Amino acid sequence: MKPALQFRLHQQLTLTPQLQQAIRLLQLSQLELEAELRQIAEGNPLLEFAEEVEDEDEETVDRESAESDYPSAESVTAAGSSQNDGEDGTEWADGAIAESPIDFSSSSVGSSGSPGSRGDDDFEPQNAAPETLQQHLLWQLNMASFNPRQHLIATVLIDSLDASGYLSEGIEAVLAILPADLKVSLDEIDAVRRRLQGFDPAGVGSLDLRDCLRVQLEQFDPDTPQRELALRLVDSELELLARNDIARLARRLRAGEDDVAAAAVLIRSLDPRPGAALDATPVEYVAPDVYVLRDGSRWRVSLNPDVQPRLGLNQHYCGLIAQARGEDASWMRGQLQEARWLIKSLESRAETLLKVAEAIVHRQSAFLDYGPEAMHPLVLREVAEEVGMHESTISRVTTRKYIHTPRGTFELKYFFSSGVSTEDGGSASATAIQAMLRKLIDAEDARRPLSDQAIAEELQRKGIQVARRTVAKYREGLRIPSSSERQRAG
């Protein structure tokens, strides 16, 4: 076969590194974006944050102020040399100067380096680390009268508790952790566990809910009304108590309905998750990316300036590029090009976020005016067509991005929902139907709650064609119990 040369022309879409970076930045949340930018800035000297520039300017001003307040080394040296022939006749060797001690009691030195720039009241309060459940119990254990053997068992028990304060893995798991040469029995572990249940909060170390509630009831005064009846309820009728069937409970326990209701109230005052009160999980707050405010007769959308990254070029290093030669010049030009691409990608990210938010607000202005019941069905394709972007781009923009409205702060994805047909040929969003469902249940008679079929018929009378199964799905999504459970609870 004779070799030959052939020419072919074809087009291929390739994602450049700059485009890949822009897509990655678009889908990052605020915290992830800040961490990503700081990591990039650490490897590129031509990038700097605006707050770093402000800090450097403040340090320069403070340094100049400090130099003006204190005499320079040259002036002190000159003064020292002129005083070599003083009254005491002391001469300073090699022109050395005598350093006077600085009196820190007359002025406090602030963090910026200038004397007296900050007072004691300007320091930010430092909150102590929250105490965990294990730390709280170990402190009580050290104050209790346990022998070394019991102390070791109690320590293992405390370490085995879950976030709710339960010994969910059982006593056998604790026995497997303890050293075999200690020869501990299950009864001995259980005896230490029962002593541990009396610690604060009461009920920690319980094996199940029944055990936890019983321990808390036993700590009440024996003369507490309906205490004994409550213990009987917890021991034998806990499942029936959860359904709040007071009449059936009264028949089984052969007690009056008023007494059973009072015992149920006493049980509901207990804490079924005693360890949750000492949960050390920090509370996370969401800062909105976009604000929506009414401006006259229309809604105005704006980006939150406090969360937008203020990244710029370091002018000092940019000025050194012209002086660099060889490989240094080539490397610095490459870093400058990457920095410019990054800043351009951030500007594109902000513009895209603003466009998508404006399109969503335009489509869901009825929600801002009248509430969730006026929410329109919306899908990614509709917003993508309005802003001239791909659906995948809209999905990236709306993920973990939040918008602050007069009705609350929501993730941008909250405004997208499927539609349900109406009698007039239109459609209603699932969010609007859920809001109507909750409104109907809130207004129902507690003695005769609405069933799923009754709610479906009521929505159909309002022109919304929805099946009973759909109503049940929405109700469960809202964590609303069924009609029978709502009737017993009422």
Side-chain angles (χ1 to χ4, degrees):
M1 183 175 182
K2 186 177 180 180
L5 296 176
Q6 295 181 350
F7 292 95
R8 293 181 182 179
L9 295 177
H10 68 279
Q11 292 182 342
Q12 182 179 359
L13 182 61
T14 304
L15 292 178
T16 62
Q18 293 81 8
L19 184 57
Q20 293 177 5
Q21 184 185 64
I23 294 176
R24 172 174 170 76
L25 296 179
L26 192 62
Q27 65 186 5
L28 296 179
S29 62
Q30 291 178 15
L31 296 179
E32 293 172 343
L33 177 64
E34 183 178 357
E36 180 79 9
L37 294 180
R38 293 203 174 273
Q39 182 178 1
I40 296 175
E42 288 178 0
N44 192 337
L46 278 80
L47 286 171
E48 64 181 0
F49 287 87
E51 56 267 22
E52 296 176 357
V53 178
E54 295 175 358
D55 294 340
E56 292 177 0
D57 294 340
E58 292 178 358
E59 291 177 0
T60 303
V61 173
D62 295 335
R63 191 181 305 111
E64 293 176 354
S65 176
E67 292 174 355
S68 63
D69 292 339
Y70 294 100
S72 61
E74 291 80 2
S75 62
V76 176
T77 304
S81 60
S82 64
Q83 295 177 1
N84 284 343
D85 299 329
E87 296 178 356
D88 55 355
T90 305
E91 294 183 0
W92 304 101
D94 300 330
I97 63 173
E99 296 183 359
S100 302
I102 301 175
D103 184 10
F104 289 97
S105 61
S106 60
S107 62
S108 60
V109 179
S111 62
S112 59
S114 59
S117 62
R118 295 182 63 177
D120 294 338
D121 296 337
D122 294 333
F123 289 103
E124 297 181 359
Q126 300 294 327
N127 296 328
E131 186 181 31
T132 64
L133 174 64
Q134 279 72 19
Q135 291 173 346
H136 184 62
L137 294 175
L138 287 174
W139 173 78
Q140 298 177 72
L141 176 61
N142 294 330
M143 302 293 291
S145 58
F146 283 83
N147 59 42
R149 182 184 180 91
Q150 294 172 338
H151 191 281
L152 175 60
I153 297 174
T155 303
V156 176
L157 283 169
I158 291 174
D159 290 338
S160 303
L161 299 179
D162 58 18
S164 298
Y166 285 90
L167 193 64
S168 55
E169 296 183 357
I171 301 178
E172 292 78 7
V174 177
L175 179 61
I177 298 175
L178 290 169
D181 56 355
L182 199 60
K183 297 181 180 180
V184 179
S185 64
L186 293 176
D187 293 338
E188 189 176 1
I189 297 176
D190 191 60
V192 176
R193 182 188 67 85
R194 292 186 182 279
R195 290 186 61 183
L196 188 65
Q197 286 180 297
F199 284 13
D200 178 64
V204 292
S206 299
L207 299 175
D208 51 28
L209 178 61
R210 179 176 283 104
D211 187 21
C212 179
L213 297 179
R214 165 166 275 281
V215 169
Q216 296 180 50
L217 285 173
E218 289 176 347
Q219 291 192 354
F220 280 94
D221 189 274
D223 297 333
T224 302
Q226 311 307 330
R227 173 178 175 270
E228 297 301 325
L229 184 58
L231 287 170
R232 293 172 58 193
L233 283 172
V234 169
D235 288 338
S236 59
E237 304 295 344
L238 195 58
E239 291 78 7
L240 195 58
L241 178 64
R243 296 196 292 269
N244 200 32
D245 195 345
I246 301 299
R248 191 174 179 183
L249 285 171
R251 290 195 299 270
R252 286 195 175 186
L253 298 175
R254 297 180 181 179
E257 292 189 8
D258 294 340
D259 295 338
V260 173
V265 171
L266 180 61
I267 295 174
R268 292 194 184 98
S269 67
L270 306 177
D271 189 358
R273 300 175 66 242
L278 292 170
D279 188 4
T281 303
V283 179
E284 296 182 0
Y285 298 92
V286 173
D289 301 85
V290 184
Y291 281 108
V292 178
L293 298 174
R294 179 177 286 280
D295 184 12
S297 59
R298 67 188 188 93
W299 295 98
R300 182 179 298 276
V301 183
S302 62
L303 295 176
N304 183 3
D306 295 334
V307 300
Q308 299 303 317
R310 295 183 296 175
L311 200 64
L313 296 176
N314 189 308
Q315 299 301 323
H316 174 70
Y317 282 101
C318 290
L320 296 178
I321 295 179
Q323 305 175 11
R325 295 292 183 271
E327 295 182 358
D328 294 340
S330 177
W331 180 81
M332 294 187 69
R333 290 193 186 96
Q335 295 296 313
L336 177 61
Q337 184 67 22
E338 292 182 4
R340 287 174 175 172
W341 271 108
L342 179 61
I343 295 175
K344 185 177 180 180
S345 298
L346 291 175
E347 295 175 352
S348 176
R349 179 183 185 273
E351 293 175 358
T352 304
L353 179 59
L354 184 60
K355 286 182 181 179
V356 172
E358 289 176 344
I360 293 175
V361 170
H362 173 70
R363 296 268 182 166
Q364 300 293 2
S365 58
F367 164 80
L368 300 174
D369 292 329
Y370 306 107
E373 296 183 17
M375 182 84 75
H376 294 296
L378 184 65
V379 294
L380 296 175
R381 176 178 50 81
E382 299 178 22
V383 176
E385 293 176 354
E386 182 172 344
V387 299
M389 299 178 181
H390 195 268
E391 294 182 28
S392 61
T393 304
I394 306 301
S395 177
R396 293 188 181 95
V397 174
T398 56
T399 300
R400 292 173 296 176
K401 312 296 189 306
Y402 296 88
I403 181 171
H404 178 76
T405 72
R407 298 190 177 275
T409 301
F410 307 93
E411 189 180 8
L412 290 176
K413 282 188 176 296
Y414 170 78
F415 297 93
F416 295 89
S417 61
S418 58
V420 177
S421 301
T422 58
E423 290 183 354
D424 57 1
S427 60
S429 71
T431 305
I433 296 175
Q434 291 177 4
M436 296 178 186
L437 187 150
R438 180 178 290 278
K439 186 176 181 180
L440 289 172
I441 293 178
D442 291 341
E444 70 183 1
D445 186 359
R447 294 172 296 180
R448 300 179 60 186
L450 297 173
S451 63
D452 294 341
Q453 182 61 36
I455 295 175
E457 294 174 356
E458 184 65 26
L459 293 175
Q460 289 176 2
R461 280 193 287 269
K462 295 182 178 182
I464 300 175
Q465 301 176 0
V466 58
R468 183 195 61 80
R469 294 190 301 271
T470 305
V471 172
K473 182 181 70 173
Y474 290 162
R475 176 181 55 75
E476 293 173 356
L478 295 173
R479 297 182 178 179
I480 298 176
S482 61
S483 58
S484 58
E485 293 176 349
R486 297 200 304 273
Q487 184 179 20
R488 295 192 185 104

